[in-house]
Amino acid sequence: MNFDIKKIVRPNIETLKAYSSAKDEYTGEANVLLDANENSLGSPLTKWYNRYPDPYQKKVKEKLAFIKQIKAEQILLGNGSDECIDILFRTFCEPGKDNIIVCPPTYPMYEVGANINNIEIKSAPLLPNFQLNVAHIEQLVNEHTKIIWICSPNNPTGNSIDRIDIETILNHFNGLVVIDEAYINFSKQKSFAQSLVDYPNLVVLQTLSKAWGLAGLRLGMCFADEVIIKYMNKVKAPYNINIVTQELALTALDEVGQVNDMIQHLVDMRIALAEVIKSMPLVQEVYPSDTNFLLVKIPNATQLYKYLLTQGIVVRDRSSLENCSDSLRITIGTEQENTQLVDAMAKWIDLTFSND
Ligand SMILES: Cc1ncc(COP(=O)(O)O)c(C=O)c1O
C-alpha cells in the first residue's frame, strides 16, 4: 500500500483556512465572556445554555478515548454518524471528479451522500452470501476512487463482513476504507477501532444511536488517524454537537454496565424471535444477524408489510434492494412488541393460506 493523505484530501480543504471560533482563540479559564455575542443574562432554561458548546467536545472525547482505548485526537464527533459520512465526502471527494465504491445492499446514506456531493458511485454488490466481492471491488478502483464504504455488521443484511476481506482491501487500496460499525456492539466481532495504528487509511464509524439507546441525542463517532481527523475538523461546523448532547453523552458513557445488559437482552430476544419466525409457515429465510434486527425473506413481503401497517406495526420493506427481494427488516422490539409482531404475522399467514 502506498497511502498518502495529501493525495486523498481535496486540494481546497488542504489550503482551507478553517473558521476560528471565539473558543479556539484562548485557553484557560475566563470569568467574563464577552467574545461570542451570546446572551449574558441567561436563557429561559437552565442558565448555562446561553453559552456556545465546546467546539471540540474535549470531555466527551476523553471519556470515549478511554472506553475505546484510542487517542482523543483520533476522534471526530458528528451530529449522528450521518454527519460524519457527510463530512467525509466534503473533506475528501472532489465533486464531478472523484468516485466512491459501495457494496449494496447496504446503508443507503453512502449513496445519498455521494449524490448530494456529485460524486460518482461505483457499485460492487455483495455476493449471494452477503460477503464482499473483493475482486470486483479491486477491478472498480481507479485513480479517482477516494473511499470504499463497508458496513459491518451490514444494514440491512445483518451479517458481519469477513475480517480477512476487509484487511485485504485495507492493505491494497490507497484511498480511505470506511468501516461503518453502527451495530458492532451486537456482534461478537472485534471492532476495527483498535486497528487504527495498523492502517493509516482506516476510518471507523460508530454511533450512540443503536446499542446505547440514544438515537434522539444524535451523537456519531468517527475514529481515524489524527491527520485524517484534523482535515475533517476543518470542514465540520464549529459547534456541531450541542451542549445538551455533550452533557447527556457524558452521563450515559458512565453506564457501560447498564448498556451491556440491554445489549445482552436484545441479543437474547433476537435469537428467540429468529427461532419463532423461522418456524412459521411461508417464511423462506431468517438471515443470521449480528445486529438488533432480523432480515426475513417471505413471499409477498410487501403485502405483509402493508398488513402489519394496518395493525399499527411498522417494519422496513427492503424488497426493492439488490439481492433482497421479498425481504423485511424487523427491529427487535420489547418482549411485548415482539409478541405483537409474531401474532400479526401468524394472522396474515393464516389469511394468506385461507385465500389460496
Ligand atoms: C449502518 C448505519 N450507519 C449509520 C446509521 C446512522 O446512525 P446515526 O443515528 O448515528 O446517524 C445507521 C442508522 O440506521 C445505520 O444503519
Side-chain angles (χ1 to χ4, degrees):
M1 201 223 315
N2 195 7
F3 178 74
D4 178 1
I5 188 67
K6 299 246 181 223
K7 290 192 181 140
I8 303 299
V9 68
R10 288 174 60 192
N12 64 314
I13 303 302
E14 171 72 48
T15 54
L16 175 73
K17 190 171 174 333
Y19 176 76
S20 167
S21 70
K23 285 186 191 290
D24 283 319
E25 290 172 6
Y26 74 90
T27 48
E29 296 296 312
N31 296 324
V32 184
L33 296 173
L34 304 178
D35 56 301
N37 301 342
E38 295 149 337
N39 184 335
S40 302
L41 299 183
S43 78
L45 303 174
T46 316
K47 186 167 186 291
W48 49 86
Y49 294 141
N50 59 340
R51 298 296 176 194
Y52 283 103
D54 171 7
Y56 295 109
Q57 310 98 20
K58 208 162 160 279
K59 287 186 185 151
V60 182
K61 284 183 187 170
E62 273 166 13
K63 216 167 247 192
L64 278 172
F66 178 75
I67 294 171
K68 304 287 171 188
Q69 291 296 293
I70 58 176
K71 290 196 256 174
E73 295 76 19
Q74 292 172 312
I75 304 174
L76 174 122
L77 298 180
N79 192 354
S81 42
D82 284 343
E83 189 191 15
C84 302
I85 294 171
D86 181 57
I87 295 172
L88 281 161
F89 275 110
R90 288 189 292 126
T91 309
F92 299 106
C93 299
E94 191 65 34
K97 181 175 163 206
D98 288 334
N99 65 71
I100 54 133
I101 297 177
V102 293
C103 305
T106 193
Y107 184 50
M109 281 306 286
Y110 318 136
E111 283 204 24
V112 172
N115 286 329
I116 290 170
N117 290 284
N118 191 22
I119 306 300
E120 185 193 351
I121 300 162
K122 289 175 178 256
S123 181
L126 295 176
L127 297 165
N129 65 357
F130 295 144
Q131 289 298 328
L132 296 180
N133 186 337
V134 177
H136 191 184
I137 292 173
E138 288 182 346
Q139 262 170 23
L140 292 178
V141 170
N142 67 16
E143 76 266 32
H144 296 301
T145 309
K146 290 292 184 69
I147 303 179
I148 297 175
W149 296 87
I150 297 170
C151 187
S152 181
N154 188 39
N155 175 5
T157 58
N159 61 301
S160 295
I161 301 297
D162 191 298
R163 196 174 178 93
I164 307 277
D165 285 350
I166 297 180
E167 286 170 353
T168 303
I169 291 171
L170 279 163
N171 282 320
H172 291 109
F173 179 51
N174 289 330
L176 298 177
V177 180
V178 178
I179 306 175
D180 186 343
E181 294 186 338
Y183 300 96
I184 192 70
N185 306 81
F186 301 106
S187 162
K188 288 204 180 72
Q189 303 294 316
K190 218 175 106 207
S191 165
F192 269 89
Q194 281 75 42
S195 304
L196 293 178
V197 279
D198 302 322
Y199 302 105
N201 57 342
L202 169 63
V203 178
V204 177
L205 300 180
Q206 292 186 6
T207 177
L208 294 194
S209 297
K210 309 296 176 183
W212 286 86
L214 294 169
L217 280 198
R218 310 306 298 129
L219 194 75
M221 302 162 262
C222 175
F223 310 134
D225 188 274
E226 291 170 48
V227 186
I228 295 175
I229 298 296
K230 261 193 193 146
Y231 283 126
M232 294 175 75
N233 270 329
K234 280 175 127 182
V235 173
K236 80 172 186 71
Y239 303 111
N240 63 329
I241 310 295
N242 69 68
I243 287 191
V244 182
T245 296
Q246 292 193 41
E247 283 178 356
L248 294 179
L250 274 174
T251 307
L253 288 171
D254 283 337
E255 304 301 334
V256 177
Q258 192 189 330
V259 172
N260 282 338
D261 289 347
M262 279 202 294
I263 293 168
Q264 192 54 54
H265 190 185
L266 286 165
V267 168
D268 290 345
M269 288 194 292
R270 180 192 76 208
I271 294 167
L273 186 61
E275 286 310 311
V276 174
I277 296 179
K278 256 184 219 165
S279 71
M280 297 176 118
L282 290 189
V283 171
Q284 290 168 321
E285 185 124 27
V286 178
Y287 295 94
S289 172
D290 268 344
T291 66
N292 65 337
F293 59 82
L294 293 170
L295 188 70
V296 177
K297 189 169 172 72
I298 185 164
N300 299 322
T302 303
Q303 276 178 28
L304 170 57
Y305 166 76
K306 287 182 183 155
Y307 174 79
L308 291 175
L309 281 182
T310 67
Q311 304 303 298
I313 299 172
V314 192
V315 299
R316 194 91 156 109
D317 185 4
R318 299 283 71 187
S319 304
S320 62
L321 302 184
E322 217 147 342
N323 274 339
C324 278
S325 59
D326 275 330
S327 298
L328 301 184
R329 194 194 68 198
I330 302 172
T331 305
I332 307 304
T334 61
E335 305 272 3
Q336 195 200 338
E337 288 167 341
N338 298 339
T339 305
Q340 268 177 267
L341 169 89
V342 167
D343 290 349
M345 278 181 76
K347 205 160 168 199
W348 178 79
I349 290 168
D350 267 357
L351 285 171
T352 307
F353 268 129
S354 59
N355 287 340
D356 278 348

